[in-house]
Amino acid sequence: QSMVHFSDSPCLWDDYRLPSSLHHQAAVGDVLLFRMRQGSVAKHLGLQSGVSAAPRFIHAYSGHGVVETALSQPWQRRIVARFGWPETPRQI
């Protein structure tokens, strides 16, 4: 499995974070991390709920509760990381 590092040392997320080259291999259940404003901290999360020609994700939206939304180009541009689930759970 290819590992991606945020720094020179391994990170807790390394086993789960998918390289950007794998974005075309999105899977239902992937955890998406979004940066809502350029230069701000990435802290909005969503779950990929559809991967068809019209991909979708589930997230909490202020004033609307938890909603399923189209993963449109504007949303896709905000993705800074995608986390997948391993086929076999790792031992911690």
mmCIF file of all heavy atoms in Angstrom, residues 40-63:
data_model
loop_
_atom_site.group_PDB
_atom_site.id
_atom_site.type_symbol
_atom_site.label_atom_id
_atom_site.label_comp_id
_atom_site.label_asym_id
_atom_site.label_seq_id
_atom_site.Cartn_x
_atom_site.Cartn_y
_atom_site.Cartn_z
ATOM 1 N N SER A 40 -7.521 28.612 5.060
ATOM 2 C CA SER A 40 -8.042 28.263 6.377
ATOM 3 C C SER A 40 -7.727 26.805 6.694
ATOM 4 O O SER A 40 -7.265 26.047 5.843
ATOM 5 C CB SER A 40 -9.551 28.513 6.437
ATOM 6 O OG SER A 40 -10.223 27.604 5.593
ATOM 7 N N VAL A 41 -8.000 26.427 7.919
ATOM 8 C CA VAL A 41 -7.790 25.049 8.355
ATOM 9 C C VAL A 41 -8.849 24.155 7.712
ATOM 10 O O VAL A 41 -10.018 24.523 7.650
ATOM 11 C CB VAL A 41 -7.894 24.961 9.893
ATOM 12 C CG1 VAL A 41 -7.821 23.528 10.371
ATOM 13 C CG2 VAL A 41 -6.816 25.801 10.545
ATOM 14 N N ALA A 42 -8.435 23.000 7.227
ATOM 15 C CA ALA A 42 -9.375 22.023 6.664
ATOM 16 C C ALA A 42 -10.038 21.299 7.825
ATOM 17 O O ALA A 42 -9.366 20.602 8.581
ATOM 18 C CB ALA A 42 -8.633 21.043 5.760
ATOM 19 N N LYS A 43 -11.350 21.489 7.985
ATOM 20 C CA LYS A 43 -12.014 20.890 9.142
ATOM 21 C C LYS A 43 -13.454 20.453 8.877
ATOM 22 O O LYS A 43 -14.181 20.124 9.793
ATOM 23 C CB LYS A 43 -11.975 21.841 10.335
ATOM 24 C CG LYS A 43 -12.610 23.183 10.086
ATOM 25 C CD LYS A 43 -12.454 24.081 11.299
ATOM 26 C CE LYS A 43 -13.042 25.452 11.035
ATOM 27 N NZ LYS A 43 -12.904 26.312 12.197
ATOM 28 N N HIS A 44 -13.874 20.440 7.633
ATOM 29 C CA HIS A 44 -15.230 19.983 7.303
ATOM 30 C C HIS A 44 -15.127 18.552 6.781
ATOM 31 O O HIS A 44 -14.302 18.266 5.913
ATOM 32 C CB HIS A 44 -15.845 20.909 6.243
ATOM 33 C CG HIS A 44 -17.280 20.631 5.980
ATOM 34 N ND1 HIS A 44 -18.272 21.029 6.839
ATOM 35 C CD2 HIS A 44 -17.895 19.993 4.956
ATOM 36 C CE1 HIS A 44 -19.452 20.645 6.347
ATOM 37 N NE2 HIS A 44 -19.245 20.016 5.206
ATOM 38 N N LEU A 45 -15.944 17.654 7.309
ATOM 39 C CA LEU A 45 -15.896 16.243 6.920
ATOM 40 C C LEU A 45 -17.182 15.810 6.243
ATOM 41 O O LEU A 45 -18.263 16.322 6.548
ATOM 42 C CB LEU A 45 -15.680 15.349 8.145
ATOM 43 C CG LEU A 45 -14.343 15.476 8.858
ATOM 44 C CD1 LEU A 45 -14.366 14.642 10.137
ATOM 45 C CD2 LEU A 45 -13.214 15.039 7.955
ATOM 46 N N GLY A 46 -17.057 14.862 5.346
ATOM 47 C CA GLY A 46 -18.211 14.253 4.708
ATOM 48 C C GLY A 46 -17.925 12.797 4.410
ATOM 49 O O GLY A 46 -16.763 12.373 4.419
ATOM 50 N N LEU A 47 -18.965 12.022 4.157
ATOM 51 C CA LEU A 47 -18.839 10.614 3.776
ATOM 52 C C LEU A 47 -19.333 10.448 2.347
ATOM 53 O O LEU A 47 -20.449 10.854 2.023
ATOM 54 C CB LEU A 47 -19.679 9.724 4.698
ATOM 55 C CG LEU A 47 -19.275 9.653 6.154
ATOM 56 C CD1 LEU A 47 -20.305 8.871 6.947
ATOM 57 C CD2 LEU A 47 -17.905 9.011 6.277
ATOM 58 N N GLN A 48 -18.512 9.839 1.506
ATOM 59 C CA GLN A 48 -18.910 9.592 0.112
ATOM 60 C C GLN A 48 -20.080 8.618 0.132
ATOM 61 O O GLN A 48 -19.998 7.528 0.707
ATOM 62 C CB GLN A 48 -17.737 8.993 -0.657
ATOM 63 C CG GLN A 48 -18.005 8.764 -2.116
ATOM 64 C CD GLN A 48 -17.456 9.871 -2.982
ATOM 65 O OE1 GLN A 48 -16.404 10.399 -2.709
ATOM 66 N NE2 GLN A 48 -18.172 10.203 -4.034
ATOM 67 N N SER A 49 -21.200 9.010 -0.481
ATOM 68 C CA SER A 49 -22.386 8.146 -0.481
ATOM 69 C C SER A 49 -22.740 7.636 -1.871
ATOM 70 O O SER A 49 -23.590 6.762 -2.004
ATOM 71 C CB SER A 49 -23.585 8.896 0.119
ATOM 72 O OG SER A 49 -23.857 10.073 -0.614
ATOM 73 N N GLY A 50 -22.104 8.170 -2.893
ATOM 74 C CA GLY A 50 -22.357 7.715 -4.247
ATOM 75 C C GLY A 50 -21.167 7.994 -5.133
ATOM 76 O O GLY A 50 -20.479 9.004 -4.955
ATOM 77 N N VAL A 51 -20.880 7.089 -6.059
ATOM 78 C CA VAL A 51 -19.707 7.244 -6.930
ATOM 79 C C VAL A 51 -20.060 7.131 -8.407
ATOM 80 O O VAL A 51 -19.190 6.992 -9.237
ATOM 81 C CB VAL A 51 -18.594 6.217 -6.575
ATOM 82 C CG1 VAL A 51 -18.023 6.494 -5.209
ATOM 83 C CG2 VAL A 51 -19.125 4.793 -6.663
ATOM 84 N N SER A 52 -21.319 7.224 -8.720
ATOM 85 C CA SER A 52 -21.752 7.124 -10.117
ATOM 86 C C SER A 52 -21.349 8.379 -10.884
ATOM 87 O O SER A 52 -20.534 9.169 -10.431
ATOM 88 C CB SER A 52 -23.267 6.939 -10.159
ATOM 89 O OG SER A 52 -23.894 8.103 -9.646
ATOM 90 N N ALA A 53 -21.963 8.571 -12.038
ATOM 91 C CA ALA A 53 -21.698 9.774 -12.832
ATOM 92 C C ALA A 53 -22.073 11.037 -12.063
ATOM 93 O O ALA A 53 -21.590 12.122 -12.368
ATOM 94 C CB ALA A 53 -22.469 9.705 -14.147
ATOM 95 N N ALA A 54 -22.941 10.902 -11.064
ATOM 96 C CA ALA A 54 -23.341 12.033 -10.214
ATOM 97 C C ALA A 54 -22.967 11.700 -8.770
ATOM 98 O O ALA A 54 -23.807 11.294 -7.970
ATOM 99 C CB ALA A 54 -24.840 12.279 -10.341
ATOM 100 N N PRO A 55 -21.666 11.835 -8.393
ATOM 101 C CA PRO A 55 -21.234 11.467 -7.040
ATOM 102 C C PRO A 55 -21.914 12.323 -5.971
ATOM 103 O O PRO A 55 -22.285 13.468 -6.222
ATOM 104 C CB PRO A 55 -19.725 11.701 -7.065
ATOM 105 C CG PRO A 55 -19.493 12.650 -8.180
ATOM 106 C CD PRO A 55 -20.580 12.412 -9.179
ATOM 107 N N ARG A 56 -22.069 11.741 -4.786
ATOM 108 C CA ARG A 56 -22.755 12.416 -3.678
ATOM 109 C C ARG A 56 -21.982 12.182 -2.388
ATOM 110 O O ARG A 56 -21.173 11.262 -2.302
ATOM 111 C CB ARG A 56 -24.181 11.885 -3.553
ATOM 112 C CG ARG A 56 -24.992 12.087 -4.853
ATOM 113 C CD ARG A 56 -26.433 11.705 -4.729
ATOM 114 N NE ARG A 56 -27.193 12.547 -3.821
ATOM 115 C CZ ARG A 56 -27.597 13.791 -4.066
ATOM 116 N NH1 ARG A 56 -27.294 14.364 -5.211
ATOM 117 N NH2 ARG A 56 -28.308 14.468 -3.194
ATOM 118 N N PHE A 57 -22.271 13.028 -1.386
ATOM 119 C CA PHE A 57 -21.680 12.838 -0.072
ATOM 120 C C PHE A 57 -22.647 13.319 0.997
ATOM 121 O O PHE A 57 -23.572 14.085 0.732
ATOM 122 C CB PHE A 57 -20.315 13.534 0.045
ATOM 123 C CG PHE A 57 -20.362 15.040 0.108
ATOM 124 C CD1 PHE A 57 -20.075 15.700 1.294
ATOM 125 C CD2 PHE A 57 -20.657 15.800 -1.013
ATOM 126 C CE1 PHE A 57 -20.105 17.093 1.360
ATOM 127 C CE2 PHE A 57 -20.680 17.184 -0.962
ATOM 128 C CZ PHE A 57 -20.411 17.834 0.230
ATOM 129 N N ILE A 58 -22.455 12.812 2.213
ATOM 130 C CA ILE A 58 -23.285 13.163 3.364
ATOM 131 C C ILE A 58 -22.433 14.013 4.293
ATOM 132 O O ILE A 58 -21.279 13.680 4.571
ATOM 133 C CB ILE A 58 -23.774 11.889 4.088
ATOM 134 C CG1 ILE A 58 -24.627 11.048 3.134
ATOM 135 C CG2 ILE A 58 -24.534 12.243 5.363
ATOM 136 C CD1 ILE A 58 -24.904 9.647 3.638
ATOM 137 N N HIS A 59 -23.013 15.118 4.773
ATOM 138 C CA HIS A 59 -22.293 16.001 5.698
ATOM 139 C C HIS A 59 -23.298 16.817 6.488
ATOM 140 O O HIS A 59 -24.475 16.883 6.150
ATOM 141 C CB HIS A 59 -21.322 16.910 4.933
ATOM 142 C CG HIS A 59 -21.983 17.856 3.985
ATOM 143 N ND1 HIS A 59 -21.814 19.217 4.052
ATOM 144 C CD2 HIS A 59 -22.839 17.652 2.950
ATOM 145 C CE1 HIS A 59 -22.514 19.809 3.093
ATOM 146 N NE2 HIS A 59 -23.141 18.877 2.405
ATOM 147 N N ALA A 60 -22.821 17.418 7.582
ATOM 148 C CA ALA A 60 -23.658 18.307 8.383
ATOM 149 C C ALA A 60 -23.527 19.707 7.808
ATOM 150 O O ALA A 60 -22.416 20.182 7.560
ATOM 151 C CB ALA A 60 -23.218 18.279 9.837
ATOM 152 N N TYR A 61 -24.664 20.347 7.593
ATOM 153 C CA TYR A 61 -24.703 21.662 6.952
ATOM 154 C C TYR A 61 -25.427 22.612 7.898
ATOM 155 O O TYR A 61 -26.597 22.398 8.221
ATOM 156 C CB TYR A 61 -25.420 21.527 5.605
ATOM 157 C CG TYR A 61 -25.431 22.742 4.740
ATOM 158 C CD1 TYR A 61 -24.264 23.428 4.429
ATOM 159 C CD2 TYR A 61 -26.621 23.201 4.187
ATOM 160 C CE1 TYR A 61 -24.286 24.543 3.602
ATOM 161 C CE2 TYR A 61 -26.645 24.307 3.361
ATOM 162 C CZ TYR A 61 -25.476 24.974 3.084
ATOM 163 O OH TYR A 61 -25.503 26.079 2.271
ATOM 164 N N SER A 62 -24.732 23.637 8.356
ATOM 165 C CA SER A 62 -25.270 24.574 9.335
ATOM 166 C C SER A 62 -26.649 25.091 8.925
ATOM 167 O O SER A 62 -26.846 25.563 7.807
ATOM 168 C CB SER A 62 -24.300 25.747 9.492
ATOM 169 O OG SER A 62 -24.774 26.643 10.466
ATOM 170 N N GLY A 63 -27.600 24.975 9.841
ATOM 171 C CA GLY A 63 -28.950 25.433 9.579
ATOM 172 C C GLY A 63 -29.818 24.428 8.844
ATOM 173 O O GLY A 63 -31.022 24.635 8.690
#
